[in-house]
Amino acid sequence: MLRPSTTIPPREHGPLWRDPRVRAFVLQAVMLLVAVVLVILLTNNTLSNLAAQGVTTGFNYLSQRSGFGISQTLVEYSANSTYADAFTVGLLNTLLVAGLSIVTCTLLGLLVGMARLSSNWLLSRCATVYIEIFRNIPMLLQLLFWSALMMSVLPEFKKSYSLWGVAFLNKKGLVLPWVEFSSSTWPLWLALALGLVAMLVMRNINQYRVRRGKDGWPVRWLTLALIVLPPLVTFFCSSIHASLSLPKLTAFSSRGGIHLIPELVVLWLTLTLYAAAFVAEAVRSGLASVPNGQREAATSLCLPGGLTMRKIVLPQAMRVIIPQLASQYLNVIKNSSLGIAIGYPDLFAVYGITTLNQTGQALEIMATTMAVYLALSLLVSLLMNLINARMALKER
């Protein structure tokens, strides 16, 4: 069957302006030039108006002293730090809650999505009720509800809930055991990154060998060894020492361990429950897209249910699930900015609100904040597109 050509035919004879390819190139060049000129005019006009009103522009404020504290910092920070340090703290807090929520909502959504299709009537209905409740209530309302519930249910500091004396929960947050290192851990992270690169190279070489008809390597064990062994070897060969820090409660505070502020716990819980409802529907639609004949064929071969799900159903369902997962991951990153409603110190709260109110550099700060969220979303989209391309069917 002949298919219509989607390319523009080349010019055979006649003047240059009659060539469709030349006309298309000139038209696109003119449109791009007009867009660039409009952006330059808009920028110059904005800067001129700001200068006329006596408003200073630029990013010199980043080196000035911030003068305010932040309740949760993953790096060293104090009121004497600069606005650039405050920006870094806010960005890390955003990455922390978004990363934790993406992991937990994926796991919870996978379980709920599989329960939605279960033959167990009660389990299936419970999954349906969960999905309909959490995806049909605005996330901001859920956030305020969980925050109010936690503040009213949790005990005061002196009456903390204790889990075998190693973890404590109260209105000040959650305190958990933590591993402390004697010095900087960048050699361990570098070894882990090199191990991941070696793992990718090994898998590509193994695929090339299999395509050439040679025996494949034990990829699973080699992957585990390349990820685990480099950090372990680096740790034992370096002067880095690790110790388990157990939390202990004193009269007014806690010592040791890691302290998670209640705002982080509430925002993490809300993002997980809200996004997991949508992830569960994505999982359900992906599993339902696999023909029943696939499962029946696996059953006729006496394959166990778990092996059938892991090797036959899920690989085909992932082609439907991954594009929807990408959208939900982007929503998690953007919805993390709602943490300002309960006082979570993320990028928007620390940099987009507090720093803006103190410096008055509204244009620079809002443009930077939007650029950061845009960059994070594009990075997640790129990674998910790469995974989707790897899972897609290859037509010959």
Side-chain angles (χ1 to χ4, degrees), residues 134-295:
F134 283 96
R135 76 172 180 173
N136 289 313
I137 298 178
M139 185 189 149
L140 181 59
L141 293 180
Q142 296 185 37
L143 185 63
L144 297 176
F145 170 78
W146 289 116
S147 178
L149 181 66
M150 181 168 287
M151 289 300 105
S152 60
V153 171
L154 292 182
E156 299 292 339
F157 178 78
K158 293 183 179 179
K159 300 179 180 178
S160 302
Y161 293 142
S162 175
L163 181 62
W164 298 307
V166 297
F168 302 94
L169 180 64
N170 52 58
K171 287 186 176 180
K172 289 187 175 181
L174 178 64
V175 188
L176 299 171
W178 189 247
V179 178
E180 293 184 348
F181 294 92
S182 58
S183 58
S184 177
T185 59
W186 69 265
L188 302 180
W189 293 107
L190 178 60
L192 177 62
L194 293 177
L196 291 175
V197 172
M199 182 266 294
L200 294 176
V201 173
M202 180 273 297
R203 294 178 73 92
N204 287 331
I205 294 176
N206 182 66
Q207 291 179 358
Y208 176 76
R209 285 172 54 86
V210 172
R211 285 197 298 268
R212 297 292 298 270
K214 299 181 179 179
D215 294 335
W217 293 334
V219 176
R220 185 175 302 176
W221 292 107
L222 287 176
T223 300
L224 182 63
L226 290 174
I227 293 177
V228 175
L229 288 182
L232 281 180
V233 173
T234 305
F235 176 76
F236 287 111
C237 294
S238 63
S239 59
I240 301 175
H241 299 287
S243 60
L244 181 62
S245 176
L246 297 176
K248 294 181 180 178
L249 296 185
T250 60
F252 301 102
S253 63
S254 60
R255 291 180 181 176
I258 182 173
H259 179 213
L260 305 180
I261 60 176
E263 291 83 4
L264 171 62
V265 178
V266 172
L267 183 58
W268 180 13
L269 174 67
T270 307
L271 283 171
T272 298
L273 295 176
Y274 183 73
F278 294 92
V279 173
E281 279 299 273
V283 172
R284 183 193 63 80
S285 63
L287 295 177
S289 67
V290 180
N292 287 330
Q294 301 281 334
R295 298 181 179 86

Side-chain angles (χ1 to χ4, degrees), residues 48-60:
S48 300
N49 290 335
L50 290 175
Q53 297 175 4
V55 178
T56 59
T57 56
F59 292 90
N60 294 329

Side-chain angles (χ1 to χ4, degrees), residues 12-92:
E12 296 180 354
H13 58 274
L16 191 64
W17 59 272
R18 287 187 176 179
D19 190 337
R21 293 185 302 176
V22 174
R23 290 203 304 269
F25 176 78
V26 171
L27 181 60
Q28 295 178 50
V30 170
M31 294 299 296
L32 180 62
L33 181 61
V34 170
V36 171
V37 170
L38 287 177
V39 171
I40 293 175
L41 290 177
L42 180 62
T43 304
N44 289 333
N45 189 27
T46 303
L47 293 177
S48 300
N49 290 335
L50 290 175
Q53 297 175 4
V55 178
T56 59
T57 56
F59 292 90
N60 294 329
Y61 66 92
L62 289 175
S63 59
Q64 298 175 5
R65 177 177 176 273
S66 62
F68 62 88
I70 302 177
S71 58
Q72 174 182 286
T73 60
L74 299 180
V75 295
E76 188 175 353
Y77 177 85
S78 68
N80 292 323
S81 301
T82 63
Y83 287 116
D85 296 328
F87 170 82
T88 303
V89 171
L91 176 60
L92 291 177

